[in-house]
Amino acid sequence: MKAMTAVWTAAATAATAAAGGAATDPGSGWYRRLRKPDWQPPAIAFPVVWTALYADLAVTTAVALNSQEAGDTPGNETREQQLRAYRGALAANLVLNAAWSWLFWRARRPWLAAAECAVLAASSADLVRRTHQLNRAAGVALAPYALWCGFATVLSTAIARLNPGARRGQ
């Protein structure tokens, strides 16, 4: 793996985590008053899981970007076109990832956050697919990220459903 690629993916992932973390406030009165499903994981699970997933994301995307194992490419797409599209998909995914926290925690819009999380889950599944095309092992290793984003969508939707009047100040 090229060091600069690993530095770039680690920095981008860390910036995403920092941006999302800056908006997150599980100790707020607003969040404590929300009804949550019985099956929601304990609070400690979120930073533990997200830390592992962010590390996985940084490493697997660096491996994919540096891979010489070019998989099936759609049409006559060149490797450079494939890598350019991959970088764009990764950047979009990271923006979506950080945006959820701002929509849920700061805007206090659970339904909007749930809808955005569904887009994030689809983006994450697409990123796994693209990663797998570039490097099969990295694609398999990234799959838990997409699965967790899918779980986050279900959880966000459940919270929104249980709190139809949840808005700023309520």
Side-chain angles (χ1 to χ4, degrees), residues 77-90:
E77 189 176 55
T78 67
R79 177 152 176 77
E80 189 51 44
Q81 289 170 324
Q82 187 180 23
L83 290 173
R84 192 175 314 116
Y86 184 85
R87 286 184 203 100
L90 175 58

Side-chain angles (χ1 to χ4, degrees), residues 42-70:
I44 190 63
F46 294 96
V48 170
V49 170
W50 275 113
T51 299
L53 291 173
Y54 282 136
D56 179 42
L57 183 61
V59 171
T60 57
T61 57
V63 168
L65 286 165
N66 287 327
S67 180
Q68 298 305 313
E69 182 186 308

Side-chain angles (χ1 to χ4, degrees), residues 39-145:
W39 47 268
Q40 176 173 310
I44 190 63
F46 294 96
V48 170
V49 170
W50 275 113
T51 299
L53 291 173
Y54 282 136
D56 179 42
L57 183 61
V59 171
T60 57
T61 57
V63 168
L65 286 165
N66 287 327
S67 180
Q68 298 305 313
E69 182 186 308
D72 299 330
T73 57
N76 294 327
E77 189 176 55
T78 67
R79 177 152 176 77
E80 189 51 44
Q81 289 170 324
Q82 187 180 23
L83 290 173
R84 192 175 314 116
Y86 184 85
R87 286 184 203 100
L90 175 58
N93 183 271
L94 294 175
V95 168
L96 288 166
N97 186 300
W100 180 89
S101 295
W102 289 90
L103 293 172
F104 185 84
W105 297 103
R106 294 296 176 190
R108 296 181 178 178
R109 303 281 306 272
W111 276 114
L112 184 58
E116 191 274 352
C117 200
V119 176
L120 171 62
S123 170
S124 299
D126 178 62
L127 190 61
V128 168
R129 178 190 64 81
R130 290 173 185 273
T131 302
H132 190 265
Q133 285 179 339
L134 292 170
N135 183 289
R136 293 184 193 284
V140 170
L142 188 57
Y145 174 65

